[in-house]
Amino acid sequence: MDLMEFQGKDVFRAHGIPTTPQGQIATTAEEAHRLATEYGAPVMVKAQVLTGGRGKAGGVTYCPDAAAAKEAAEAILGLDIKGHVVHKVLVEKASDIAEEYYLSLLHDRVSKGYLAICSVEGGVEIEEVNRTQPEKVAKVTIDPTAGMTDELANQILDSGAMPAETRDQQVDLLKTLYDGFVAADATLFEINPLIKTTDGRIIALDSKVSIDDNALFRQPEIESLEGPVPPGEMGDDLEAKAKEQDLQYVKLDGDIGIMGNGAGLVMSTLDVVAQAGGEAANFLDAGGGATAESMAGGIAFVLGDPAVKVMMINIFGGITRCDDVANGVLGALDMLGDVTQKLVVRLDGNSADEGRRILEESGHPNLVSASGMIEAAEKAVALAKEA
């Protein structure tokens, strides 16, 4: 379960992690004006969506007075940030920033433990820093049986080239962050930026928090956050709609719709699309026992995303028969009618020959067949670039 910034900061506060003074949510410009008047200028008005890049998209604004806060909220509410429509903004007192850093804790499947990532280069896209200046991004494995000791905390902070003058605060924050991360059953605690204020305090200016869905029964306060929020306001609209339809769907930022049967196969499909130079628009797992009906529903859902230029369907037939999949693909196209996107279909496994025969003999102009996964990805990427 991914949390918005204001929810993540509430989790931080609950576990004693220093962050910004408590702000409040506004859903109208008038509410933002009232809150800014109440807090006293200056304030920050920040879009609450489950995606990064809010600042570059105009979703984060410094406001020197209440009138500016109202104007900022008017501009941000309704804004589309990477397919995420802004329904609410966080209004909080602005902080005086002296320096910006990066710090995160996450699950590490390689070491089967936790990983700390630390960098003195905060406040920017850490992925870009990692690509261009990897020596400035420290990645240190944490042994869960040993936990976060003073020695390990200093090792992490030294590796990230963090400044020495506020080291005691940094160590305390990192140890508190680790304790909160474990207690909250989190899979990610990210602070970008972690800041030093002009009066020398180290606090989390932002939050990115993900909680293990399988442990939500131990986190009733966090689990209850989702309920009161109307569909379409808890993260991406498409993800909310997918959840209503019991689809295993995640919205991404690219233009190639992805559908497969089984999470592992879909993840591999994302990789080969990236290797072919493309970018996935989503992750949709049709499940190991996909039927013609479920395939049709999934295809209709993916093609309903206006960002999708091409769809790649990658099926390995096991329990799922590929001839059923082929009939599902054709049924979906009949149901949808005026489809403009091309569908690159790769079938393998149970009844794959029969499935490919059905698709080929249909002569449908939107269908493109591929015999292998890499070939399918390359065709999908090429078609997306032409579209």
Side-chain angles (χ1 to χ4, degrees), residues 320-342:
T320 302
R321 293 172 56 94
C322 288
D323 52 349
D324 286 343
V325 171
N327 286 321
V329 171
L330 293 173
L333 291 173
D334 288 343
M335 178 183 70
L336 294 171
D338 187 21
V339 173
T340 58
Q341 301 100 324
K342 296 286 187 182

Side-chain angles (χ1 to χ4, degrees), residues 313-384:
I313 300 172
N314 189 11
I315 300 295
F316 185 86
I319 297 173
T320 302
R321 293 172 56 94
C322 288
D323 52 349
D324 286 343
V325 171
N327 286 321
V329 171
L330 293 173
L333 291 173
D334 288 343
M335 178 183 70
L336 294 171
D338 187 21
V339 173
T340 58
Q341 301 100 324
K342 296 286 187 182
L343 279 67
V344 180
V345 183
R346 177 253 181 173
L347 300 176
D348 201 353
N350 185 5
S351 304
D353 290 341
E354 178 63 9
R356 286 193 288 267
R357 183 192 65 76
I358 292 171
L359 294 179
E360 290 169 3
E361 291 184 355
S362 74
H364 199 291
N366 294 77
L367 293 178
V368 177
S369 179
S371 57
M373 188 157 66
I374 295 175
E375 178 191 350
E378 290 174 344
K379 286 184 175 180
V381 172
L383 288 167

Side-chain angles (χ1 to χ4, degrees), residues 164-184:
E165 68 270 16
T166 53
R167 179 55 59 91
D168 288 347
Q169 285 191 65
Q170 297 168 32
V171 169
D172 288 343
L173 182 140
L174 185 49
K175 291 170 68 176
T176 306
L177 192 74
Y178 177 83
D179 290 342
F181 174 83
V182 174

Side-chain angles (χ1 to χ4, degrees), residues 101 118-120 135-136 138 156-164 167:
Y101 320 115
C118 181
S119 176
V120 74
E135 72 282 359
K136 292 189 175 180
I156 293 168
L157 297 165
D158 285 341
S159 300
M162 296 286 277
R167 179 55 59 91

Side-chain angles (χ1 to χ4, degrees), residues 209-233:
V209 171
S210 297
I211 306 297
D212 186 346
D213 287 339
N214 297 313
L216 280 176
F217 71 94
R218 291 198 297 242
Q219 308 292 337
E221 293 184 357
I222 295 176
E223 186 177 28
S224 66
L225 291 175
E226 193 170 10
V229 182
E233 294 190 19

Side-chain angles (χ1 to χ4, degrees), residues 115-192:
L115 186 69
I117 301 178
C118 181
S119 176
V120 74
E121 298 291 331
V124 295
E125 293 184 9
I126 196 66
E127 295 84 0
E128 181 65 14
V129 177
N130 187 47
R131 189 180 66 80
T132 59
Q133 306 174 79
E135 72 282 359
K136 292 189 175 180
V137 180
K139 300 172 184 174
V140 179
T141 299
I142 303 168
D143 179 356
T145 62
M148 183 64 67
T149 62
D150 283 6
E151 181 180 7
L152 178 58
N154 276 295
Q155 178 191 341
I156 293 168
L157 297 165
D158 285 341
S159 300
M162 296 286 277
E165 68 270 16
T166 53
R167 179 55 59 91
D168 288 347
Q169 285 191 65
Q170 297 168 32
V171 169
D172 288 343
L173 182 140
L174 185 49
K175 291 170 68 176
T176 306
L177 192 74
Y178 177 83
D179 290 342
F181 174 83
V182 174
D185 290 308
T187 57
L188 173 67
F189 265 17
E190 180 184 76
I191 306 173
N192 190 26

